[in-house]
Amino acid sequence: MAVDRRQFLLALGSGASLALCGGWARARSAAQPQSRLLVVLLRGGMDGLHLLPPLADPAYPRLRGALALPEGLPLDGQFALHPALPFAHQLYRDGQLAALLAVAPPYRQRSHFEAQDCLENGSASPHGLRDGWMARALQVSATGSAVAVAPVLPLTLRGSARARTWSPPLSQRVDDALWQRLQTLYAADAELGAPFDAALRMDAGHSQRGTFGLVEAVAAATRLMQGADGAGMAFVEDGGWDTHRNQAPVLARKFGQLDAALRAARDGLGADWARTMVLVVSEFGRTAAVNGSGGTDHGTGGIALLAGGAVRGGRLLGDWPGLAPAQLNEGRDVRATTDLRALCKGVLAEHVGLHPGLLETRVFPDSRQVRPLRDLIRTG
Amino acid sequence: MDGTAAVNRFGLGARPEELRDATGDPHGWLLAQVQPFASLPAVFAGLPSTPEMLRARASLQQRRRRQRQSAPVDAAAGAGAAAEAADPLRQQQRTLSREALRHVQARNAHAVASTQPLAERLVRFWSNHFAVSVDKNAIRLLAAPMELEAIRPRVFGRFADLLLAVQRHPAMLGYLDNDASVGPDSAAALRAQRAGRQRGLNENLAREILELHTLGVDGGYSQADVTELARALTGWGVAAPMRVAADDSAHGFVFRAAAHQPGVRQMLGRRYPQAGIAQAEAMLRDLARHPATALHLAFKLARHFVADAPPPDLVAAIAKSWQDSDGDLAVVYRTLIEHPLAWQAQARKFKTPEDWLLSAQRATGLLLPAQALLALSRGLGQPLFMPRSPAGFPDTAADWLGADALRKRVQAATGLAARAVTDAPPLALARQALGEDLDADLAAALRGAGSFREGVALLLASPDFQWRA
């Protein structure tokens, strides 16, 4: 996608644009070098109703039947957290976790591939843009880098030279003698010398026999975000959330992993946790009613989580549309009342410090009508 | 120098003796490979065809649906491993995965043994150009058959024929959603409307044909052109799986007249009054010979075979050859091979993980089993048939080279060396792979290697082995 340089330079140079976005007391025009953003994309359509069951709503047990959770970790009078997330619950009580209800990217055809593309390319359509919103955010911020814990750069981070990937080392052990012999050879190659030296110095971490799952990926991301040279933004993805069948034990396990991943993020980031926001998103939620095999099918409105020391947490955000038949989208799933871009814009503006004018033109093109969420981060 | 370039940059990396064969007349060695395959290579015989995969997939979906409808909702009973193993649904899934693996195995085995490596490289080039990605579940089983059925037989023919064959293949139609596209005024759309359902135009395929497959993103087409091509392509669909023969010559393609948008189409200033399937066919043929297409694909070819920033004069020469020959690919390849700018001493391409794995197998005589190949491809960052985008895998060093990538290649080299079967000394292997004028430091390091295994690892991990030079 071609950079519209004229637009970019105009936005930067025009002092008037700040005034247009009135009320942005905290907006800055340069990236805050200290803030850390970790985006976790759960691919497959994470079932928001199972993560945050509205236990007080009589429609819930009626819709979910045997899948309805009898109890959960209380959040407010209406919603609870799935029992497999005690750490997230603690964060909520400590004011370091918030949940956004009924959110989705502006796409309604319920295809994973397209919905994910729409989420990742940060536009109103899965088509068109071939780069991602995090990459464009990097472009408009003066400094910083991003890393994706993935074998191939995901769409979200495509389009920036400062984005790179990291994936777990293969399990093969390499003799030190081989590294030494290779070092001499690589020193003579103009293009390969520097990356090879970096390869030698890399703390690749422990190679994993067996699975490298969400927890390990988040732990790796926090390692890559540490220190002054650490990446300011990171991206982790996890699959297996497309729970069409027998989802109770599957989600119990996956939510447990998500909980452990949040803990790994806090433990891994240490002092940086105070300046970190972890954003957990998925491309859509799932059907309100259980289907014929103990699972759910593709839906619309889902849940996004914000976690971290920087979050103004302990609250549920957004507009819950309700589960009455007339309130459901097409009579089958939770309506989306917030555009996911509003959340991302709010995070990038308040937490990362990107200019709101750039957010609605460059980072999320043609999104002027999508108002950024506000007051997401803790003040003081 | 030209000999090594011929086998390592234009080919797949030298097999033992290959350098010796090519060195006398490198251009001739390559030109001799520019000819259509006489027939389907034996290793591909008997592999499941697209119709067979479609049928297997449909049968699996049917089984899943029946299970979903009849299964009792019992949260606790879900995950007993023994129950899963006996589950006929799971067995069917495993069988299907095995069938897909057979394709992977055959494809790799053929490339590793091939004495026409230029041809194999071209098959992969076009397969990546017309990329589908198996992370879209619906076409997981169809990517390899598409390469075999639509692409392989046509890499030395006319581009127009290759383009048409790909756009008629169920893998492409499914990947880019054209099988679901109906003309707004078509009989199918009206029928659906009366039944209270919505069916309409899907522009995905048309857009990618213009943006990726032919003209290129700067090729001068408009949104209106995209929509018109999409309208013309309505009706290009996939046959009902149970109704198509396993050896169907159309590989499962069917034209559904009821879904076709009636009327005259306009694209890039031309009128297309043809009826039915002939309409989009005519538009595709015109796209195939369009100057922007020639330039776009000349650039891609030059970038693939010569350098990340190919010499503009070389690109221009290839584009001209394309136009003069009306997209005759054999002529185009000859222009590339015979052009002096394709043989500059400093030209080199960083090997993609696929390049590296193929050249490593060829150099050491190792043939990786399919599962190992899949795991290594994924581990090195290029999962087989999974570029995750219709744009395919990228083709420059900037996309593949990095500290992490190099670290993994050293690890993978160690692993491959442990499996290598040849008993030639590593130094001899290196000379066969990289030429007699081997880098002196590499030669010294190989001579000093403590073991055969260490030497092979050193060769495969060495900087010289990371380049197609």
Side-chain angles (χ1 to χ4, degrees), chain A residues 37-43 46 119-120 133-134 147 149 156 213-215 217-219 221-222 225 233-239 241 254 257-259 261-262 265 273 276-283 303-307 340 343-344:
Chain A
L37 173 64
L38 169 59
V39 174
V40 178
L41 173 54
L42 305 180
R43 295 192 186 276
M46 184 264 290
L119 186 161
E120 295 194 71
W133 64 271
M134 281 177 82
V147 64
V149 178
T156 312
L214 179 58
V215 184
V218 168
T222 60
M225 293 167 91
M233 294 201 268
F235 177 96
V236 165
E237 58 192 6
D238 186 49
W241 292 91
K254 300 284 291 174
Q257 287 169 0
L258 179 59
D259 202 54
L262 289 173
W273 176 251
T276 296
M277 179 172 307
V278 180
L279 202 58
V280 181
V281 296
S282 190
E283 71 264 31
I303 302 283
L305 295 178
L306 295 83
L340 188 62
L343 174 63
C344 300

Side-chain angles (χ1 to χ4, degrees), chain A residues 43 66-67 111 113-114 117 120 127-128 130 150-152 154 158 165-175 177-179 181-182 184-186 188-192 194-196 198-204 207 237 244-246 248-249 290-294 297, chain B residues 67-69 71 73-75 78-79 87 89-90 135-136 175 177 202 204 207-208 211-212 348 350 376 378-381 383 387-391 397 401-404 406-408 410-412 414-415 439 441-442 445 448-450 454 457-458 461-463 466-467:
Chain A
R43 295 192 186 276
L67 202 53
S111 148
F113 169 60
E114 292 197 326
D117 278 0
E120 295 194 71
H127 310 300
R130 294 223 118 60
V152 177
R158 271 184 233 149
T165 60
W166 182 95
S167 56
L170 305 181
S171 58
Q172 188 68 47
R173 266 212 69 248
V174 177
D175 286 340
L178 180 58
W179 283 116
R181 287 186 194 277
L182 287 171
T184 328
L185 299 174
Y186 273 89
D189 189 302
E191 281 172 82
L192 301 185
F196 185 82
L200 270 181
R201 289 193 312 265
M202 268 174 71
D203 170 20
S207 71
E237 58 192 6
H244 286 284
R245 198 168 154 250
N246 199 28
V290 62
N291 66 19
S293 35
D297 302 311
Chain B
Q67 189 149 18
R68 224 179 278 164
Q69 283 155 6
V73 174
D74 184 348
D87 181 354
L89 180 66
R90 289 257 185 276
D135 59 318
K136 182 159 182 166
Y175 182 58
D177 309 310
N202 186 303
N204 210 0
R207 184 183 301 102
E208 307 304 7
E211 181 181 331
L212 301 175
R348 61 181 190 172
F350 187 72
L376 272 171
R378 193 172 51 240
L380 291 172
R388 301 238 204 132
S389 150
L401 170 58
D404 192 54
L406 286 178
R407 191 179 183 92
K408 291 193 162 63
V410 176
Q411 288 182 288
T414 306
D439 175 69
D441 288 333
L442 177 56
E454 194 190 308
L458 191 59
S462 69
Q466 308 314 313
W467 296 99

Side-chain angles (χ1 to χ4, degrees), chain B residues 100-125:
Chain B
L101 275 182
R102 287 177 57 202
H103 269 277
V104 171
Q105 184 73 40
R107 184 183 187 262
N108 185 53
H110 183 67
V112 170
S114 178
T115 53
Q116 286 189 271
L118 172 65
E120 292 310 304
R121 177 163 289 285
L122 285 166
V123 170
R124 280 162 174 73
F125 171 81

Side-chain angles (χ1 to χ4, degrees), chain A residues 16-246:
Chain A
S17 58
L18 249 176
L20 283 174
C21 313
W24 286 99
R26 296 182 59 82
R28 300 188 177 90
S29 53
Q32 295 167 335
Q34 299 288 325
S35 77
R36 297 277 186 263
L37 173 64
L38 169 59
V39 174
V40 178
L41 173 54
L42 305 180
R43 295 192 186 276
M46 184 264 290
D47 188 8
L49 273 178
H50 208 68
L51 175 68
L52 245 70
L55 295 180
D57 189 334
Y60 172 69
R62 182 173 45 80
L63 285 165
R64 283 293 168 107
L67 202 53
L69 290 162
E71 59 192 7
L73 305 166
L75 296 177
D76 68 359
Q78 197 181 0
F79 290 91
L81 253 186
H82 188 286
L85 291 131
F87 178 74
H89 191 237
Q90 184 59 53
L91 284 181
Y92 182 88
R93 293 205 305 269
D94 291 343
Q96 293 189 340
L97 183 139
L100 175 57
L101 306 169
V103 62
Y107 167 83
R108 294 290 175 269
Q109 305 310 312
R110 302 193 186 88
S111 148
H112 289 302
F113 169 60
E114 292 197 326
Q116 287 172 24
D117 278 0
C118 183
L119 186 161
E120 295 194 71
N121 76 15
S123 78
S125 155
H127 310 300
L129 293 185
R130 294 223 118 60
D131 54 7
W133 64 271
M134 281 177 82
R136 293 193 300 273
L138 258 186
Q139 282 175 7
V140 305
S141 62
T143 56
S145 65
V147 64
V149 178
V152 177
L153 201 63
L155 180 57
T156 312
L157 271 171
R158 271 184 233 149
S160 166
R162 281 182 270 135
R164 63 186 172 95
T165 60
W166 182 95
S167 56
L170 305 181
S171 58
Q172 188 68 47
R173 266 212 69 248
V174 177
D175 286 340
D176 286 334
L178 180 58
W179 283 116
Q180 277 168 20
R181 287 186 194 277
L182 287 171
Q183 191 171 18
T184 328
L185 299 174
Y186 273 89
D189 189 302
E191 281 172 82
L192 301 185
F196 185 82
D197 279 343
L200 270 181
R201 289 193 312 265
M202 268 174 71
D203 170 20
H206 302 294
S207 71
Q208 217 72 25
R209 280 238 160 258
T211 50
F212 182 83
L214 179 58
V215 184
E216 293 79 14
V218 168
T222 60
R223 278 199 305 274
L224 296 160
M225 293 167 91
Q226 270 164 5
D229 292 335
M233 294 201 268
F235 177 96
V236 165
E237 58 192 6
D238 186 49
W241 292 91
D242 188 24
T243 51
H244 286 284
R245 198 168 154 250
N246 199 28

